Amino acid sequence: MWNLTRTFKGRVVLGGNVSGESIVTHQGLNILASYLKSLNDRNGKAICSDQNNKDLYNKDLAGKIICLPQTIGSTTGGMILQSVTELGIGPKAMLFSKHIDSLAAAGIILCYVWNNKKIVTIDQLGDEFLEFVKDGQHIEISEDGTVIVS
């Protein structure tokens, strides 16, 4: 019998206890391009408009747990995330197999400080994490950086 559940442990950037549905990309995430249409339309959805990201293009990112290899960019990424969380269309969490840039991490933390809307962020989960996780899987994240994918 195969084990369909795996546990990963990462470094906590912004901790929290959340669960939700995964959405996965195996490339970087251009935050501005991803949320540009949503920021302009203010349509209550976060449809990815980054045509260069074949994994996420046209998918709704709102309320999902975004799983990706590494950083989302610098302070611009944090600023965009600030805007989309204020609109109620931000992700629940961001999970990185490698790392997040310190400026992007600062932006995510400032989102929480400024508008009390937390985007739980864990990095350094390892390459095995991104190989295992698939779109639509259920993920549970605990305050200590433990990530359970099932």
Side-chain angles (χ1 to χ4, degrees):
M1 179 123 194
W2 292 298
N3 183 0
L4 301 177
T5 300
R6 291 255 336 247
T7 301
F8 301 88
K9 180 79 171 177
R11 179 182 71 141
V12 176
V13 176
L14 187 59
N17 296 309
V18 297
S19 64
E21 180 184 341
S22 64
I23 189 162
V24 181
T25 182
H26 295 275
Q27 56 191 34
L29 180 62
N30 181 329
I31 289 289
L32 179 58
S34 297
Y35 285 102
L36 190 58
K37 181 176 176 162
S38 302
L39 290 170
N40 288 331
D41 294 348
R42 299 186 182 255
N43 59 11
K45 293 186 178 183
I47 304 300
C48 179
S49 54
D50 181 0
Q51 294 180 1
N52 294 320
N53 191 321
K54 62 181 177 57
D55 296 330
L56 299 181
Y57 182 64
N58 271 335
K59 292 183 181 176
D60 190 355
L61 306 176
K64 300 285 179 20
I65 296 176
I66 301 176
C67 306
L68 61 160
Q70 56 192 359
T71 195
I72 54 168
S74 59
T75 50
T76 302
M79 197 167 58
I80 299 300
L81 287 169
Q82 161 71 20
S83 299
V84 297
T85 55
E86 285 179 0
L87 292 172
I89 58 173
K92 269 190 187 179
M94 301 193 76
L95 303 178
F96 299 88
S97 63
K98 294 184 172 83
H99 65 276
I100 182 172
D101 179 88
S102 60
L103 290 174
I108 286 174
I109 292 166
L110 286 174
C111 288
Y112 178 54
V113 171
W114 289 335
N115 65 16
N116 201 31
K117 294 189 179 180
K118 187 183 284 192
I119 301 171
V120 172
T121 305
I122 311 291
D123 73 352
Q124 299 179 8
L125 287 163
D127 290 335
E128 302 81 28
F129 167 72
L130 206 57
E131 290 170 11
F132 183 80
V133 69
K134 306 285 183 250
D135 276 356
Q137 286 182 301
H138 180 77
I139 294 182
E140 293 180 37
I141 305 167
S142 60
E143 190 79 39
D144 69 354
T146 300
V147 175
I148 301 172
V149 180
S150 55

